[in-house]
Amino acid sequence: MAYERDYPEIRDAVSKLCSQYPGEYWRELDRSNSYPSEFVKALNDNGYLSVLIPEEYGGSGLPLSAAAAILEEVQRSGGNGGACHAQMYTMGTLLRHGSDAQKQKYLPQIAAGELRLQAFGVTEPSSGTDTTRIRTTAVRDGDDYVVNGQKVFISRAEHSDLMVLLVRTTPREDCAKRTDGMSVLLVDMRDAVGNGLTINPIKTMMNHATTELFFDNLRVPVENLIGVEGKGFGCIIDGMNAERILIAAECIGDARWFIEKSANYARDREVFGRPIGQNQGVQFPIARNHVQTEAAALMVHQAAALYEQGKRPGAEANMAKMLASEASWAAADTCIQTHGGFGFTEEYDIERKFRETRLYQVAPISTNLILSFVATNELDLPRSF
Ligand SMILES: Cc1cc2nc3c(=O)[nH]c(=O)nc-3n(C[C@H](O)[C@H](O)[C@H](O)COP(=O)(O)OP(=O)(O)OC[C@H]3O[C@@H](n4cnc5c(N)ncnc54)[C@H](O)[C@@H]3O)c2cc1C
């Protein structure tokens, strides 16, 4: 492969670790709709999920691109980082906006693998992508906020101790800007479940441990407010940019997995007395996938580099996520086509990865909304909503 590999030692080590969790491991979890606890523990034990935590708090203090390299390798090995990627991107909100006291309290435990920060609660059933219309509220009562409302598609909530939660603290109509009046709370779910928080699993077409959440007078201590009350949207954006960049890196890993699988099969499979890959009708789509993936990877690097400079690279993070998810989806489609009937069988893992990578054109943000962001913010076209 021609592309430059950053963090080669980390990549090799992650790849080696992942080789202990082969296709059969993921297939079985997929069949039983179970969470990959052993795999996530192994990543944690080896410090990979705490690479972004500064060394003073027990992490390795590496930049976002190191986290991107780790998640890319997980996907590239045929695994699914969706089970644990949130620990890295929710960190964006806590690291940039958490108080010293909050960092002291939580980061060392997260770094030690004693606390899991795997849940990011933004989406609601009635607001959809229009985040400023969220209806989950937090009302101050003494030293607590009292939270009421509902969230949907909150992944890994059953496998996390902490959740970064976006709530409204001031009604939208009372705010000068629609993005004002929202706040971010760090919810300790160990205390919350059964005391105002109910978690219901949602079964989806891939194994993603997603859930719906109901808040009924859940009390969250005011000291768990991250950043400034009413200014939570800005805090959550930093987490979202990290999320888009890391998920883009996962899509690059997926794309590379599909491309390698397609090329290997096209070289080996003989029909009509020659390798199918000798036919340009078979090799060109794979070559096109490679071109798309390498171009998308450059955008992922660019977005990560800007993020690491402390900037808020909304456009680059969104463009990276769109390009990478389109590259992985195109490569997934080619992979099925290249394998003919075998592409549909469980044992090749292609149909599983095909289902898994499809998600990233909808979550964490859909392609239409990215195009809308780029049109209005980068090209100064009129807003459509
Ligand atoms: C498996 C899974 C896991 C998830 N995990 C999490 C999580 O952990 N935390 C979390 O907060 N959320 C999570 N989500 C939610 C995810 O981020 C949303 O599903 C996604 O942002 C899209 O929102 P929506 O489903 O409400 O779609 P909607 O906003 O209802 O949009 C539906 C469709 O309409 C299109 N559309 C809407 N408005 C416009 C417009 N103005 N112009 C053009 N097109 C438009 C969209 O592009 C989309 O294709 C998850 C979702 C899934 C499926």
Side-chain angles (χ1 to χ4, degrees):
M1 290 286 183
Y3 59 86
E4 192 187 334
R5 293 168 88 232
D6 54 358
Y7 304 100
E9 295 87 7
I10 292 182
R11 285 175 186 272
D12 288 345
V14 171
S15 176
K16 204 167 154 206
L17 185 153
C18 289
S19 68
Q20 295 164 32
Y21 300 88
E24 180 47 44
Y25 173 77
W26 296 100
R27 255 173 265 149
E28 185 45 44
L29 293 168
D30 191 58
R31 276 183 221 124
S32 56
N33 201 32
S34 312
Y35 186 76
S37 305
E38 286 170 41
F39 173 72
V40 175
K41 183 174 181 319
L43 281 183
N44 237 329
D45 290 349
N46 285 279
Y48 293 123
L49 297 184
S50 53
V51 285
L52 297 178
I53 297 179
E55 284 175 292
E56 60 186 300
Y57 299 113
S60 18
L62 292 173
L64 193 71
S65 48
I70 291 166
L71 291 173
E72 183 193 314
E73 288 307 318
V74 169
Q75 301 303 115
R76 196 180 170 191
S77 75
N80 188 2
C84 51
H85 54 197
Q87 182 123 322
M88 293 176 172
Y89 58 68
T90 40
M91 206 63 81
T93 302
L94 187 55
L95 287 177
R96 284 197 176 178
H97 302 283
S99 66
D100 285 344
Q102 287 167 338
K103 291 184 196 171
Q104 285 291 355
K105 183 171 176 186
Y106 296 109
L107 293 180
Q109 289 185 70
I110 296 171
E114 291 157 8
L115 266 188
R116 299 163 301 170
L117 172 58
Q118 289 291 1
F120 196 41
V122 177
T123 307
E124 296 189 5
S126 56
S127 57
T129 318
D130 191 356
T131 305
T132 63
R133 291 195 188 274
I134 59 167
R135 292 190 193 162
T136 298
T137 55
V139 176
R140 183 86 188 247
D141 180 31
D143 290 337
D144 291 334
Y145 284 105
V146 180
V147 179
N148 281 288
Q150 188 184 347
K151 297 276 173 187
V152 72
F153 297 125
I154 308 308
S155 303
R156 302 159 300 272
E158 295 170 297
H159 306 280
S160 186
D161 302 306
L162 302 172
M163 168 170 54
V164 169
L165 178 70
L166 187 68
V167 292
R168 264 231 169 259
T169 36
T170 308
R172 191 179 190 257
E173 46 283 10
D174 295 346
C175 298
K177 275 166 58 193
R178 59 185 172 173
T179 49
D180 284 347
M182 290 185 281
S183 304
V184 176
L185 300 178
L186 190 61
V187 177
D188 191 326
M189 295 200 290
R190 295 166 302 175
D191 303 335
V193 174
N195 289 311
L197 172 63
T198 306
I199 305 178
N200 291 339
I202 301 176
K203 189 147 177 9
T204 56
M205 73 185 228
M206 63 286 160
N207 184 18
H208 203 87
T210 202
T211 68
E212 58 183 344
L213 308 180
F214 296 92
F215 303 92
D216 182 12
N217 290 324
L218 172 71
R219 299 190 83 87
V220 178
V222 170
E223 64 182 31
N224 285 26
L225 173 76
I226 298 183
V228 177
E229 184 182 299
K231 296 289 175 197
F233 192 72
C235 305
I236 218 87
I237 284 293
D238 285 325
M240 284 175 165
N241 283 334
E243 177 186 49
R244 290 165 185 28
I245 294 167
L246 292 177
I247 287 179
E250 291 187 314
C251 291
I252 297 294
D254 277 346
R256 287 178 174 154
W257 183 88
F258 286 119
I259 291 166
E260 198 178 333
K261 199 107 175 155
S262 296
N264 288 344
Y265 191 78
R267 252 182 263 110
D268 292 346
R269 169 78 168 167
E270 292 204 3
V271 182
F272 296 108
R274 60 180 180 176
I276 56 168
Q278 202 175 333
N279 303 302
Q280 291 183 327
V282 174
Q283 61 179 231
F284 281 8
I286 306 172
R288 181 180 293 277
N289 296 150
H290 180 66
V291 173
Q292 279 182 316
T293 302
E294 296 314 302
L298 292 176
M299 183 57 86
V300 179
H301 282 289
Q302 167 75 353
L306 291 169
Y307 188 91
E308 287 165 9
Q309 289 164 24
K311 297 190 175 139
R312 201 172 261 179
E316 290 79 5
N318 273 307
M319 289 192 280
K321 187 269 182 184
M322 176 177 145
L323 292 171
S325 66
E326 290 189 344
S328 70
W329 179 235
D333 193 42
T334 303
C335 197
I336 292 238
Q337 199 68 22
T338 305
H339 283 74
F342 294 104
F344 296 86
T345 63
E346 259 188 17
E347 65 170 300
Y348 279 72
D349 292 310
I350 298 165
E351 59 83 34
R352 172 179 60 82
K353 294 278 285 179
F354 180 91
R355 287 182 278 118
E356 288 168 358
T357 213
R358 180 63 178 84
L359 172 65
Y360 298 123
Q361 284 180 76
V362 171
I365 183 167
S366 63
T367 305
N368 272 3
L369 269 292
I370 291 178
L371 291 172
S372 166
F373 178 92
V374 170
T376 52
N377 289 282
E378 296 293 291
L379 305 176
D380 203 22
L381 288 163
R383 287 186 72 95
S384 58
F385 53 86

